[in-house]
Amino acid sequence: MRFMMLMIPGGYENAEPGTMPDAEAVGPMMKYNEELQNAGVLLALDGLHPPSMGARVSFKGGKPTVTDGPFPEVKEVLGGYWMIDVRSREEAIEWAKRCPASENETIEIRQVQEFSDFPEDLQQATAGFTEMHEAAGRKAR
Amino acid sequence: MTTENVHRTIETVWRIEQPRLIAGLARIVRDVGIAEELAQDALVVALKQWPEQGVPRNPGAWLMATGRNRAIDLLRRNKRLGRKLEEIGHDIETDAPPDPDEALDDHVGDDLLRLIFTSCHPILSSEARVALTLRLLGGLTTDEIARAFLVPEPTVAQRIVRAKRTLSEARVPFEVPRGEEMAKRLSSVLEVVYLIFNEGYAATAGEDWIRPQLSQEALRLGRILAQLAPNEPEVHGLVALMEIQASRFAARVGPKGEPVLLADQDRSRWNHLLIRRGLAALQRAESLSDALGPYVVQAAIAACHARARKAEDTDWARIAALYAALGEIMPSPIVELNRAVAVSMAYGPAAGLELVEGLREEPSLVPYHLLPTVRGDFLEKLGRKDEARAEFEKAAALTRNGRERDILLARAAAL
């Protein structure tokens, strides 16, 4: 089973553009990442720049509206993620518990939807993705 | 935390920590069977203490410290192990680091590698290696292994008991082989991992969930191995092969559970994260050595398919060349037959037909439908209908798969 461990650092919603992780926290975090890798469970990981460098596209009224960050109304924002491959939800939780996170950080655990989780009609609806991708590629050229 | 929750936590911690725990304890007692028992003892203590006192902050280190104390007690008590105590008791007392965390970090990688090599020792039968590896490194129960391999539980239990006894009686050293021994022993390890992967890959939808799970176990073992033996190209080759094959899981069966051939798969269902990981592992393998081993070459073939966004884009010329290379290092009629198919895709059915003519007398292919199926396909494409029909009918008579027989007879009838 694949799970995303979503890192939600408190205060990151107000972080200045270009904010980088605390140098002191990086060492233990690297060690943790290595542990995940040594256990054969880590598939991918990334850290994200703060929302002040991002943008939001909302669709109120059926039209895309772009808002540049930061977003004062948003209380919790992502700081990064790990994608792990484990045997159970409990195992994902156990790995999250081992993260050397600081007091104002939260990790949310979410299972990745596998294709086989989809009911048949949804499977059929997603089947044409390759063709769409191809068509988009041709148009771009 | 409720007692039920604590038990679930213990079970999870156990699943994660068990291999490292057994490996660490085996370094002390030099016997994987005894190490496993000691690890179980530590689990029993945890089951008693954790619900009362709470789960320790570093549960893995706690289990290791508990198991380690038991191991030292055992060494002191047990006369049977008296000689070993003289040999290593000294080390334990003088080198014992005060911080169990540190002890874990220092040795855990080496110990785990030793445990993998011991579980996959060529002195054991292939079945025994697989069972022991899944038990000690995958943390699967005997019942789970039995269900996964569709054999009765007592059979698996026997296999594991005998395997541990064989290792013990033969005094197989708990170590990573060196020099010339290494290549042979490593290929035994890789064979076990790939066997486990293929058993899971062969499972069909609707079977006991534990069977397809085997592929995940093998993949995890391969990923662990790649961390432990980062300079072995074949390890990365095997990981690449498994990652790429696993990327096709969602696409390889149709809505009714029927197998879907590579050429007909909906490639949007391939898992592109796994493909990327597979290609990266392959690149790593290729950068480590110019002499390519069988897993690296097989991974390179799988990569050719993975890189093709549409079946028509497949680089068959490269696949044909890779099969030729595979035939050099691992000669086999099946490899040759695959090469013929690749050659026909790259250079036309006549070129493919020429290659399979040389295989017609091959005794190992005689009982199977593969050769006449492939030959029939080439003949059909060349417009030699009567000969093609005869080959499809011959293949239909040889296959044991009903669905395949129907398809072959339909192809014969359509000519």
Side-chain angles (χ1 to χ4, degrees):
Chain A
M1 303 173 177
R2 288 183 295 156
F3 284 85
M4 278 263 194
M5 298 197 294
L6 304 164
M7 174 55 99
I8 304 168
Y12 206 49
E13 64 275 13
N14 300 319
E16 294 291 321
T19 302
M20 283 290 148
D22 187 12
E24 260 178 52
V26 167
M29 205 53 96
M30 292 298 282
K31 196 161 168 256
Y32 173 67
N33 295 340
E34 207 178 305
E35 246 179 79
L36 289 169
Q37 196 164 23
N38 287 340
V41 300
L42 183 65
L43 292 181
L45 80 171
D46 278 302
L48 303 175
H49 282 302
S52 51
M53 293 169 73
R56 291 196 142 211
V57 182
S58 55
F59 295 87
K60 201 169 180 187
K63 256 179 27 199
T65 308
V66 179
T67 315
D68 283 325
F71 322 109
E73 73 285 4
V74 179
K75 295 280 171 282
E76 289 189 327
V77 299
L78 290 177
Y81 73 91
W82 296 263
M83 170 97 84
I84 57 171
D85 187 7
V86 292
R87 283 173 281 212
S88 63
R89 180 174 174 272
E90 284 77 17
E91 236 178 86
I93 292 172
E94 182 58 34
W95 280 114
K97 278 157 75 177
R98 296 179 182 200
C99 180
S102 67
E103 214 171 349
N104 64 346
E105 291 174 316
T106 303
I107 294 175
E108 184 170 316
I109 291 170
R110 304 276 294 274
Q111 189 177 351
V112 176
Q113 287 177 337
E114 301 294 347
F115 190 75
S116 52
D117 295 340
F118 290 178
E120 205 173 313
D121 53 337
L122 206 54
Q123 289 198 11
Q124 277 175 2
T126 56
F129 183 71
T130 310
E131 289 72 24
M132 279 159 51
H133 199 106
E134 284 302 313
R138 272 197 299 277
K139 227 181 243 176
R141 264 177 255 136
Chain B
M1 219 192 271
T2 66
T3 312
E4 196 200 335
N5 279 344
V6 174
H7 277 141
R8 212 179 300 154
T9 301
I10 295 174
E11 198 190 309
T12 309
V13 167
W14 176 248
R15 283 232 165 193
I16 294 174
E17 299 298 337
Q18 189 190 15
R20 288 187 273 190
L21 193 53
I22 294 173
L25 294 170
R27 174 167 46 84
I28 301 173
V29 297
R30 305 274 150 179
D31 182 298
V32 293
I34 296 172
E36 194 196 6
E37 281 167 32
L38 290 165
Q40 296 273 359
D41 288 349
L43 172 67
V44 171
V45 180
L47 283 167
K48 193 160 160 280
Q49 285 193 10
W50 294 6
E52 289 164 15
Q53 298 166 13
V55 178
R57 201 187 54 82
N58 187 340
W62 189 98
L63 284 168
M64 188 64 212
T66 307
R68 198 166 184 282
N69 288 337
R70 301 247 153 178
I72 294 167
D73 283 351
L74 180 79
L75 287 181
R76 290 201 174 118
R77 267 200 327 265
N78 201 329
K79 278 186 185 166
R80 195 156 52 83
L81 289 167
R83 195 185 54 79
K84 292 193 178 184
L85 175 64
E86 273 174 38
E87 279 173 18
I88 58 176
H90 176 76
D91 289 353
I92 291 166
E93 283 175 18
T94 51
D95 297 347
D99 178 5
D101 271 349
E102 208 177 295
L104 272 176
D105 288 348
D106 281 356
H107 296 283
V108 69
D110 293 343
D111 290 343
L112 212 48
L113 197 55
R114 290 187 187 110
L115 186 62
I116 293 173
F117 273 103
T118 308
S119 301
C120 298
H121 199 284
I123 200 176
L124 305 172
S125 73
S126 162
E127 289 92 353
R129 276 181 249 169
V130 165
L132 198 60
T133 300
L134 284 172
R135 176 62 182 270
L136 300 180
L137 289 144
L140 266 66
T141 64
T142 311
D143 172 54
E144 285 170 338
I145 299 168
R147 275 159 45 208
F149 282 85
L150 311 170
V151 290
E153 202 209 325
T155 309
V156 172
Q158 271 288 334
R159 257 177 217 165
I160 292 172
V161 168
R162 280 205 204 116
K164 286 190 283 203
R165 197 191 301 145
T166 304
L167 289 173
S168 184
E169 284 171 1
R171 294 183 168 269
V172 167
F174 187 67
E175 63 186 26
V176 175
R178 294 186 194 287
E180 280 177 29
E181 178 83 353
M182 180 64 175
K184 203 178 79 200
R185 295 280 303 278
L186 184 64
S187 85
S188 175
V189 170
L190 299 180
E191 185 193 322
V192 167
V193 174
Y194 198 41
L195 254 169
I196 295 171
F197 183 85
N198 279 323
E199 189 69 26
Y201 205 76
T204 54
E207 275 187 283
D208 194 336
W209 60 269
I210 193 77
R211 274 179 57 71
Q213 185 71 23
L214 285 176
S215 295
Q216 305 304 323
E217 290 296 334
L219 201 41
R220 180 170 22 250
L221 271 173
R223 288 170 186 154
I224 292 171
L225 206 52
Q227 291 294 115
L228 295 175
N231 297 320
E232 295 291 340
E234 278 287 87
V235 172
H236 295 288
L238 175 60
V239 170
L241 180 60
M242 293 193 295
E243 299 268 17
I244 294 173
Q245 286 183 341
S247 76
R248 302 181 194 139
F249 268 133
R252 76 199 174 113
V253 282
K256 291 176 189 73
E258 74 281 10
V260 180
L261 296 175
L262 195 53
D264 303 326
Q265 287 178 8
D266 175 355
R267 297 183 178 215
S268 68
R269 291 187 190 181
W270 288 359
N271 184 323
H272 291 272
L273 175 59
L274 294 186
I275 290 177
R276 269 206 305 284
R277 291 179 57 90
L279 295 178
L282 176 60
Q283 202 172 23
R284 181 82 197 266
E286 287 171 339
S287 73
L288 284 168
S289 165
D290 292 333
L292 303 182
Y295 289 110
V296 180
V297 177
Q298 289 177 80
I301 293 168
C304 285
H305 293 295
R307 287 193 193 100
R309 195 168 279 287
K310 289 180 293 182
E312 308 90 88
D313 299 343
T314 311
D315 186 352
W316 286 107
R318 179 162 166 73
I319 293 176
L322 287 165
Y323 271 119
L326 188 60
E328 299 264 314
I329 43 179
M330 202 178 75
S332 123
I334 293 288
V335 171
E336 200 56 17
L337 195 58
N338 277 305
R339 180 161 85 93
V341 173
V343 164
S344 85
M345 296 299 285
Y347 308 109
L353 189 64
E354 202 175 313
L355 278 178
V356 294
E357 294 309 310
L359 292 170
R360 292 179 76 181
E361 303 301 316
E362 182 55 55
S364 61
L365 289 179
V366 167
Y368 299 106
H369 65 282
L370 290 172
L371 181 60
T373 305
V374 169
R375 205 164 171 272
D377 185 62
F378 295 164
L379 289 165
E380 184 185 14
K381 284 176 181 154
L382 289 168
R384 290 157 67 175
K385 289 185 181 179
D386 293 338
E387 290 164 275
R389 190 183 310 115
E391 289 293 322
F392 286 140
E393 281 166 358
K394 188 172 162 195
L398 286 169
T399 183
R400 270 175 283 179
N401 180 318
R403 187 146 30 197
E404 214 156 39
R405 187 178 307 122
D406 292 345
I407 293 171
L408 286 163
L409 289 175
R411 285 184 80 174
L415 283 163

